[in-house]
Amino acid sequence: MVEVTVTPQSSLADRPVQIRVRGLSPSQLVTLRAWLKDEQGECFQSRAFFRADGAGEVDPGLHAALGGSYSGVWPMGLFWFLQPDTLFRRLVKRDVAGSPFRVRLEVLDGLSLGADPKERPLASCEAERWYVGPGVRRVPVREGRVRGALFLPP
């Protein structure tokens, strides 16, 4: 049985996570796809192609991506290379304190280039990427023409 995990499952957006796929056949070609919908409902996604090692595992921190949104060893590449489905959109988190980005990670058999709705992932999981830690307080700043926010630790 194929399994994909992200550790830790919930983390701050600037913290690294480890992605691992287990249960593949040795040397099996797979596509790892990451996608999320932003607060306006726009979809952003990235994908990378990998060949499983002799134990049937893929770890983007150890194994080089053969292509896709990036190539080479990039442990956080699936997160860093998220691109919009609609041109000229930017991934921006507006509600930084209220909710995380929920990034869906999927393992697809073979080299998958499109978003075919009939395509069923071999395995999937979800990662939460928070922009504000627990207990952090946001204080709006308005002084003259200066506008901003001050984030105070607990």
Side-chain angles (χ1 to χ4, degrees):
M1 186 170 120
V2 178
E3 175 187 40
V4 60
T5 57
V6 59
T7 308
Q9 184 269 331
S10 182
S11 64
L12 291 173
D14 64 344
R15 299 285 192 249
V17 296
Q18 182 182 34
I19 301 167
R20 293 195 77 177
V21 181
R22 294 184 177 99
L24 299 168
S25 301
S27 300
Q28 181 178 352
L29 280 172
V30 293
T31 300
L32 285 181
R33 178 171 61 193
W35 64 272
L36 65 84
K37 287 198 177 196
D38 71 2
E39 294 155 332
Q40 283 75 41
E42 292 292 331
C43 188
F44 291 77
Q45 63 178 312
S46 63
R47 68 186 66 238
F49 312 130
F50 292 92
R51 183 176 300 280
D53 65 13
E57 296 185 359
V58 170
D59 180 343
L62 299 174
H63 303 118
L66 306 174
S69 301
Y70 67 95
S71 60
V73 178
W74 292 79
M76 296 294 295
L78 290 168
F79 293 91
W80 292 339
F81 291 96
L82 287 165
Q83 294 294 313
D85 285 354
T86 306
L87 292 177
F88 308 114
R89 299 288 185 179
R90 289 187 19 216
L91 184 58
V92 176
K93 183 72 172 139
R94 303 238 185 261
D95 179 18
V96 294
S99 64
F101 271 142
R102 298 184 194 287
V103 183
R104 188 89 177 153
L105 298 166
E106 299 175 337
V107 181
L108 304 163
D109 190 27
L111 303 179
S112 171
L113 297 173
D116 185 356
K118 293 180 229 165
E119 226 171 12
R120 296 280 177 233
L122 299 173
S124 64
C125 70
E126 191 172 83
E128 290 182 346
R129 304 295 282 172
W130 290 90
Y131 283 76
V132 175
V136 172
R137 198 165 42 102
R138 181 180 189 273
V139 179
V141 174
R142 294 182 75 111
E143 185 65 38
R145 296 185 335 184
V146 174
R147 302 290 182 266
L150 174 63
F151 292 88
L152 297 172

